Amino acid sequence: MRQEFQAQSANVGSLQVLLPAERSPSTVRRRTLWSSLVLLVAALLAMLVWLAGIYEANQVQARLDRDVAEAVSDVRAVFAHNAQELQALQYTHPTPNTWMIDAGTMLREHREILRIEWRDSTLRLQAHVDTPFRVPAFDHQGRSDVQSEVAAACANARRFSGPAYASSYFVPMVDGLGLEVMEFCLPLQSGANVTGYLIASYALRDVLEGSLTRPMTKNYQVSFTEGDGTRLAVFGSIGRGSRIFTARQLMNLPGTSMVLRMDSWRATPDLFPNVLTALVTAMSIALVSVLALLGEDMRRRFKAEHDLADMLAFRKAMEDSLVTGLRARDLQGHTTYVNPAFCQMVGFSADELLAPGTPAPYWPPECSEEYRQRQLVRHAGNLPPREGYESVFMRKDGSRFPVLVIEAPLINAQGAQSGWMSALLDISEQRRVEELSRAGLERLQATARLATVGEMASLLSHELNQPLAVISGYAAGSLNLLRADPQGAVPIGSEVRLALQRIAEQAERAGKVIKSVHDYVRRRDQVREAVAPQALLDAILPLVYLQARQLSVRVQAEVEPGTPSVQCDRTMVEQVLLNLARNAMQAMDSPKILERSLLIDVRLANTHGTSKKWVEFSVADLGGGIGPEVQQQLFKPFFTTKTEGMGLGLSLCRTVVEQHGGALEFAANSPHGTVFTFTLPAAGVA
Ligand code: ADP
């Protein structure tokens, strides 16, 4: 995963280079490669089609060559077979009449022979038979004479002492057409003497027809030609097509020679000469189509890559501009990604943070065990609080700072959780401001306390006046006693002792008044401790009584039995109680109010079944109550309706109560007046 992120960030760099797509070197290179590929494939395919054509032509030519050789041997076989049959005519020593019957039978079986003659050794005609399939070819010419071709054939036969042929010649026919005829002469021998000859006249066209197989004659045009190419006899169909394949083979016969020629026509030889070429062409078209599709696909990919690069660049810019630290961890707890803001926050570089190994370098050593446990809980599948949690991290220089960590599961493209993503906020500044405001509040409270004492100065002087007057009275009395009896004749010891005792009592009383003021003003450390409600009341009641006496208010303070101690900052809560009591007494300072009673009541609050216990303090008066317009501004700082008021009392009270987790409320008292109520958490309850 870390590699993935690194690869991604590396990609961002390289992909950004692609952004000016029109001119970037990689685009030019890509296009050149593609053009070369297209050209190469086109050339390859053209060559393939061409080669396939050539190959097919060679195949056809080779088959033709094979066929012509086969045809030559077929023709030779026919000639040889016929020679044997002719020879057989003489085995029975026939008479001309019996010979003619046999010869007639043979002619019926061999269409290619036009006529068979039996001549004596001087070539005089003994007997002859014409083919029954044609009009006798030689009748109008008078074949009884010895023809030169027959003479030539027999001369050859004599010379070779065996069957021989003569060159073919043209015989015009009565139907206007003609025949190319070749004479064959078979010498009849008795010992060494030639006793006669058998002459067979072959119609060359019929030789071709009789000796060649049907597939051969169907596909090709077969002909006998002379050495110079002059056609003698042709057989077979003339095909269509522009391309002609030709094969020739010389056929040597004793006494003459001919060439057998075969012609073959190709039907559509130019574009698709055969199946192979068609196949190759089809495959080429398919290949080109695939190439085109691939090109389109590449174009789309390139566009997607481009968009991705844009998006990554955008995301990176966004991450870099964030002041919130971002950190991703895999399921094993290894840090896989950090953004620059996080690096800046902790003072470690990204490489240091991503280096494998736990614990993270920004975990303070004293907390690392606790953090590891927290991580285990997280990895067990427990979701962190949505609003985040506070933690303490360590900078590279060792200084600690508070952070707010908000974690969420990291879900990958497949929808599976691959780790945790955290957003981290450095809250040290926030903490500093909170501390400042707390200190400010404290100073304000100290000022308010002093102001209260200032307000009470006249009361104090009055309160102190009494014991001081009593003290001075007793002191003067004692002095008078001593002055009246300078020798000590009269025993006055007991009276002076009494006076001194009274003096001591009054001095103690004055001392208590001063101590209560001192206790109130003295700044104590801000600590939350368990304090009994009665102790809180005892601390403020002397001061309350001071004012109550002046304003003729009856004070009643009650703590319900069984009320637990409260967890609070004692000084502050005392101030809240005193403020509320003072406000209550001042509200009753009107000639119209005859019954002046202040009731301070402490009890366990009704918590409606929740486990947390709260203690409720209420301060009730029978004053004029609070009008609606005053209610709206009651807790605003510096709001007062009194000529010498500061308007800070209630706003401070509410801040203090809320800091303790409680709430300050007010309601109308019956039959008139107001009840202020506030709650504080009971001690010893979590
Ligand atoms: P201060 O006492 O200096 O005026 P406070 O914030 O304590 O400032 O009180 C603000 C105002 O609320 C008072 O001026 C008074 O008009 C009103 N107020 C407070 N307590 C009572 C009460 N018990 N009865 C009637 N009015 C009250």
Side-chain angles (χ1 to χ4, degrees):
M1 180 126 168
R2 184 164 64 87
Q3 287 85 338
E4 215 173 271
F5 272 111
Q6 283 171 341
Q8 271 183 11
S9 42
N11 275 349
V12 172
S14 64
L15 288 174
Q16 272 170 338
V17 180
L18 294 175
L19 293 184
E22 297 311 318
R23 280 171 297 281
S24 75
S26 64
T27 312
V28 173
R29 199 170 136 256
R30 195 185 290 237
R31 285 191 178 165
T32 315
L33 280 176
W34 265 102
S35 322
S36 318
L37 181 67
V38 168
L39 278 177
L40 276 175
V41 168
L44 187 76
L45 294 181
M47 206 168 79
L48 214 60
V49 173
W50 181 65
L51 282 178
I54 287 187
Y55 174 74
E56 177 62 15
N58 286 343
Q59 287 288 98
V60 172
Q61 187 65 53
R63 201 167 67 233
L64 202 61
D65 287 343
R66 254 194 336 270
D67 286 349
V68 80
E70 205 177 302
V72 166
S73 74
D74 285 352
V75 171
R76 276 180 187 285
V78 167
F79 281 144
H81 181 73
N82 287 355
Q84 282 171 3
E85 272 193 44
L86 281 172
Q87 190 92 51
L89 288 180
Q90 296 302 325
Y91 285 162
T92 51
H93 302 291
T95 63
N97 282 340
T98 57
W99 181 88
M100 280 172 72
I101 295 166
D102 291 345
T105 311
M106 184 181 166
L107 279 177
R108 272 193 297 281
E109 286 166 8
H110 296 279
R111 286 184 68 121
E112 68 274 15
I113 303 175
L114 292 176
R115 175 187 173 107
I116 304 176
E117 293 173 352
W118 181 10
R119 291 178 187 254
D120 62 11
S121 56
T122 60
L123 290 180
R124 218 179 18 246
L125 194 62
Q126 301 283 316
H128 77 274
V129 185
D130 280 302
T131 179
F133 302 112
R134 287 181 182 278
V135 179
F138 303 105
D139 276 4
H140 65 284
Q141 281 186 351
R143 174 72 192 215
S144 44
D145 297 335
V146 175
Q147 264 190 355
S148 59
E149 284 79 12
V150 174
C154 290
N156 286 341
R158 260 198 313 278
R159 203 166 62 241
F160 299 139
S161 300
Y165 299 82
S167 304
S168 64
Y169 59 97
F170 186 74
V171 178
M173 298 289 283
V174 278
D175 55 4
L177 296 171
L179 287 173
E180 191 71 22
V181 178
M182 186 176 72
E183 299 296 344
F184 168 71
C185 181
L186 177 73
L188 302 173
Q189 288 179 319
S190 162
N193 298 328
V194 174
T195 55
Y197 299 96
L198 284 184
I199 316 291
S201 304
Y202 282 104
L204 286 184
R205 189 184 171 282
D206 293 342
V207 169
L208 291 177
E209 189 179 354
S211 55
L212 299 184
T213 55
R214 173 138 176 80
M216 215 179 265
T217 54
K218 189 177 162 224
N219 293 329
Y220 308 128
Q221 193 182 53
V222 193
S223 52
F224 283 121
T225 66
E226 290 182 358
D228 61 0
T230 312
R231 288 196 193 218
L232 302 173
V234 180
F235 182 74
S237 55
I238 299 173
R240 285 168 175 230
S242 55
R243 187 153 182 198
I244 304 169
F245 290 85
T246 303
R248 293 183 189 84
Q249 177 139 1
L250 188 68
M251 192 170 79
N252 276 320
L253 294 169
T256 187
S257 65
M258 282 185 300
V259 172
L260 188 74
R261 167 178 166 160
M262 272 187 178
D263 293 307
S264 164
W265 281 265
R266 302 296 304 276
T268 48
D270 37 5
L271 192 57
F272 296 113
N274 56 31
V275 178
L276 178 69
T277 315
L279 213 65
V280 167
T281 310
M283 279 165 65
S284 307
I285 291 170
L287 196 65
V288 169
S289 313
V290 168
L291 211 65
L293 287 176
L294 211 64
E296 175 59 18
D297 187 58
M298 284 295 286
R299 197 188 60 73
R300 279 213 298 269
R301 257 165 192 275
F302 179 65
K303 191 174 171 303
E305 224 172 57
H306 197 271
D307 291 350
L308 192 71
D310 267 352
M311 218 178 69
L312 281 176
F314 175 75
R315 206 193 73 174
K316 188 157 172 28
M318 211 168 68
E319 282 170 14
D320 290 351
S321 65
L322 271 183
V323 288
T324 309
L326 290 179
R327 173 194 67 183
R329 289 190 291 184
D330 63 15
L331 289 174
Q332 284 71 49
H334 299 138
T335 309
T336 53
Y337 166 78
V338 284
N339 74 338
F342 184 72
C343 297
Q344 212 174 350
M345 201 182 283
V346 292
F348 289 99
S349 72
D351 287 341
E352 287 170 307
L353 292 171
L354 297 180
T358 46
Y362 48 83
W363 282 1
E366 66 276 11
C367 305
S368 62
E369 191 47 45
E370 180 197 335
Y371 290 1
R372 197 172 301 122
Q373 291 303 328
R374 192 166 64 194
Q375 209 175 48
L376 288 177
V377 171
R378 181 86 61 259
H379 294 154
N382 297 326
L383 280 180
R386 188 73 199 99
E387 67 281 3
Y389 56 89
E390 283 187 23
S391 188
V392 174
F393 280 5
M394 184 177 74
R395 295 192 187 90
K396 197 174 185 179
D397 60 12
S399 57
R400 276 49 167 176
F401 65 102
V403 280
L404 179 69
V405 185
I406 301 163
E407 284 200 308
L410 195 64
I411 309 295
N412 65 14
Q414 285 73 45
Q417 186 182 351
S418 58
W420 294 90
M421 188 75 188
S422 320
L424 302 113
L425 275 175
D426 182 348
I427 51 172
S428 39
E429 183 60 17
Q430 191 183 330
R431 285 278 169 279
R432 204 176 63 81
V433 170
E434 277 173 16
E435 181 56 32
L436 273 180
S437 87
R438 198 188 54 75
L441 183 70
E442 257 176 44
R443 266 200 299 280
L444 209 58
Q445 279 177 326
T447 315
R449 271 200 300 275
L450 287 175
T452 311
V453 174
E455 274 177 45
M456 291 179 170
S458 62
L459 292 178
L460 280 174
S461 62
H462 172 75
E463 190 68 23
L464 288 175
N465 248 353
Q466 274 189 343
L468 286 178
V470 175
I471 288 168
S472 70
Y474 277 111
S478 303
L479 279 175
N480 284 341
L481 278 176
L482 290 172
R483 220 178 280 129
D485 185 16
Q487 284 82 36
V490 185
I492 51 168
S494 59
E495 287 168 32
V496 172
R497 196 177 299 119
L498 188 73
L500 285 177
Q501 206 174 332
R502 293 280 182 271
I503 287 173
E505 279 170 12
Q506 292 304 315
E508 194 180 340
R509 185 179 153 199
K512 273 188 183 166
V513 172
I514 289 171
K515 185 171 179 298
S516 68
V517 175
H518 175 77
D519 278 354
Y520 179 67
V521 177
R522 182 168 58 99
R523 195 192 139 82
R524 276 169 288 182
D525 283 343
Q526 229 196 8
V527 277
R528 298 237 170 133
E529 54 192 335
V531 189
Q534 191 59 54
L536 291 170
L537 294 186
D538 289 347
I540 59 145
L541 280 177
L543 297 173
V544 173
Y545 285 138
L546 278 181
Q547 200 167 16
R549 219 168 291 141
Q550 191 201 23
L551 298 175
S552 316
V553 175
R554 190 163 54 88
V555 179
Q556 213 182 329
E558 287 172 9
V559 178
E560 203 180 70
T563 308
S565 299
V566 286
Q567 187 71 23
C568 67
D569 179 337
R570 184 184 184 134
T571 322
M572 289 199 173
V573 175
E574 282 171 7
Q575 193 172 354
V576 170
L577 277 171
L578 187 64
N579 260 334
L580 294 178
R582 262 182 55 233
N583 275 349
M585 289 187 288
Q586 283 170 350
M588 293 184 283
D589 183 19
S590 156
K592 285 187 238 161
I593 311 242
L594 301 175
E595 193 192 347
R596 299 180 179 185
S597 162
L598 168 70
L599 175 64
I600 302 175
D601 182 65
V602 187
R603 64 179 67 230
L604 192 67
N606 187 356
T607 50
H608 304 288
T610 51
S611 62
K612 200 163 184 179
K613 284 187 178 172
W614 294 89
V615 176
E616 186 182 85
F617 293 74
S618 59
V619 180
D621 66 69
L622 294 171
I626 305 174
E629 65 290 347
V630 177
Q631 282 186 11
Q632 286 176 0
Q633 311 187 59
L634 202 59
F635 295 104
K636 271 193 185 165
F638 303 111
F639 169 78
T640 179
T641 56
K642 300 167 196 163
T643 41
E644 287 173 5
M646 280 177 68
L648 282 172
L650 284 179
S651 97
L652 279 174
C653 289
R654 191 163 74 168
T655 311
V656 168
V657 171
E658 285 177 358
Q659 271 185 354
H660 282 78
L664 172 66
E665 288 158 358
F666 66 93
N669 196 8
S670 88
H672 48 83
T674 317
V675 189
F676 276 85
T677 315
F678 67 91
T679 47
L680 290 176
V685 180

